[in-house]
Every structure is written in C-alpha cells, then in structure tokens.
Amino acid sequence: MRILVVEDEPGISGFLKQGLEEESYHVDIAENGQTGLQMSLSGVYDLLLLDWMLPVISGLELCIDFRKQFPNTPVIFLTAKDTVEETITGLQSGANDYIKKPFHFEELLERIRVQLRARDISEEKYTLGPITLYTGRHLVLRGEEEVQLTQKEFALLEYLMKNKNQVCRRTQIIEKVWDIHFDYNTGVIDVFMNSLRKKLNFNTNEDYIQTVRGIGYVAKDL
Ligand code: CA
C-alpha cells in the first residue's frame, strides 16, 4: 500500500513516514501543494494524507483537482484548521475523512485502515477481451474459468485493465505494482508479463496486451 503525505512541516511528515512505514505502508512525502498534486496524479497512490495550509497550492485545491481524475482513491485531511465550517469545506472538496491537529497516531492509523477497507469492499469489475477481473475479491475469469494468478501478476493485470487503451509506462508499472523505484531497464516486468500472458492464454505481443517498444504496455480489446 502506497501513501502520499503532503505536508510542509518536516517534523510532522518525518513522524508520519516513520510511523506508517513501521506499519508496512510505503510512504512518499511532498513538501508543497504543487509537487503533491503532480505526484498524486501519477495514479500510483492508494491513499492521500493532506495538510490544508501548504505552499504554492493549498491542500483544498489539490483535493479538488485530484478528485476530478481519481474519484475512488481515499483522501484524508490532517490539518490545524479546526472549525466546523472548515471541516465541512474540507469534506465537500471530496475528502473521505478529516482529522484535526494535534492528532493521535493510533487514531490516524485506524482511520486509514477504515478508508482502505471501504475501498476494498467497493468491488469493481473490469473486462479485457475474454477476461473479467474483480478487484474486491481478487478474482480473474477467462470466460467462466478462474485464472490463478500470483499477487504481483494480479496487480499487474489490474493496473493494465484499469488503464485500458492507454499506454502504461514501465516506470509507472514498476511504481504501482512493485511499490518501489528502481532501474528502468530491469527485465522484471517482462518476466512477469510473459508469465501473465501465458496464464491468460494470450499470444506474445499480438494480443490483448501489446508491447509498446521502448515505452511499456497497453491493454486493448481487439
Ligand atoms: Ca502546513
């Protein structure tokens, strides 16, 4: 699970990063609203934790812009703005939850879990040719038959199907599916892609998942 923390006070962001990483979340930090917005729009995050008062672009503006593109990714405000009016404005901007500073880390953690659970329960279904994928149940069918995939293969297929007809860059895939930044030229994606195509009974390159040479992959209905 990958969380983006947009917070301009290093003491708070450092504390959040350390605490959340101890809970096995992968955490990236943006120190102003503009960087935060750019990072959030990469689509690699499972949840956003937003301060409101930020340099360049406020957390509120960030939330509104982010929501236009990602209606289902949970957003939690973590802010010193504590009036009822501000809370309502924050929630109306599309945030899922609103926590006032100072906060208790254990409560924040529980609220993050609630949001991620709610997201998982809201089952989504995607199709690609003969393949149907259900996100909540982690189920993949080819016609009526279940296809057994590893977690990484499932995550890879889910990412490609969610972005159907768009070229997915190798760097985006690696960040989303593997939760890490590493060398662009690594062959790890190709290895998983070959195995995935085999399990889905797709022929290499010319089928529903096509290789875009030098860039990445694209999932397409034929
Ligand atoms: Ca601030």
Side-chain angles (χ1 to χ4, degrees):
M1 290 286 179
R2 202 176 177 105
I3 296 177
L4 176 63
V5 173
V6 190
E7 169 64 64
D8 59 327
E9 286 173 46
I12 297 176
S13 59
F15 169 74
L16 288 170
K17 186 174 169 70
Q18 188 186 355
L20 292 170
E21 284 181 347
E22 279 169 12
E23 298 293 325
S24 299
Y25 293 106
H26 182 102
V27 179
D28 291 327
I29 294 170
E31 289 170 359
N32 68 62
Q34 189 169 35
T35 308
L37 181 60
Q38 282 165 358
M39 288 170 76
S40 72
L41 294 179
S42 68
V44 302
Y45 295 102
D46 297 290
L47 185 140
L48 266 53
L49 215 46
L50 289 186
D51 185 20
W52 182 321
M53 290 176 283
L54 290 163
V56 195
I57 294 176
S58 74
L60 195 68
E61 291 169 273
L62 194 168
C63 184
I64 291 166
D65 283 354
F66 177 74
R67 265 288 164 265
K68 289 177 194 159
Q69 297 212 31
F70 296 94
N72 299 319
T73 304
V75 176
I76 300 177
F77 268 111
L78 191 56
T79 172
K81 285 194 177 279
D82 60 356
T83 67
V84 173
E85 289 77 12
E86 286 162 341
T87 308
I88 290 169
T89 304
L91 292 169
Q92 282 177 341
S93 74
N96 300 72
D97 202 355
Y98 194 100
I99 302 171
K100 292 159 190 170
K101 290 174 181 167
F103 61 95
H104 292 282
F105 185 73
E106 288 304 318
E107 183 185 341
L108 171 67
L109 204 54
E110 227 26 72
R111 287 175 184 262
I112 287 173
R113 289 188 183 128
V114 166
Q115 290 306 326
L116 291 173
R117 213 156 47 223
R119 184 201 63 164
D120 287 346
I121 290 165
S122 59
E123 176 93 287
E124 290 175 72
K125 177 182 162 185
Y126 296 91
T127 62
L128 176 67
I131 304 296
T132 312
L133 179 146
Y134 298 89
T135 58
R137 284 175 288 160
H138 269 240
L139 174 68
V140 176
L141 300 177
R142 184 182 171 99
E144 302 288 307
E145 276 197 28
E146 184 170 353
V147 182
Q148 298 289 343
L149 299 179
T150 65
Q151 283 214 343
K152 284 283 176 249
E153 288 164 353
F154 183 92
L156 180 59
L157 180 63
E158 181 184 12
Y159 186 68
L160 290 166
M161 288 175 76
K162 278 185 174 174
N163 294 285
K164 197 160 79 174
N165 300 317
Q166 295 173 42
V167 176
C168 298
R169 294 181 170 275
R170 300 164 68 87
T171 44
Q172 292 171 331
I173 294 172
I174 217 102
E175 282 186 31
K176 183 63 187 179
V177 176
W178 275 268
D179 261 12
I180 40 173
H181 296 277
F182 62 64
D183 186 42
Y184 173 80
N185 287 319
T186 179
V188 68
I189 300 179
D190 303 299
V191 173
F192 276 85
M193 197 63 82
N194 286 340
S195 149
L196 179 62
R197 280 167 163 156
K198 240 177 241 166
K199 288 186 178 179
L200 296 173
N201 209 10
F202 289 173
N203 300 317
T204 311
N205 290 343
E206 299 302 322
D207 216 321
Y208 298 99
I209 299 175
Q210 297 173 8
T211 305
V212 183
R213 203 161 287 282
I215 300 177
Y217 296 92
V218 58
K220 276 184 182 174
D221 289 320
L222 297 178

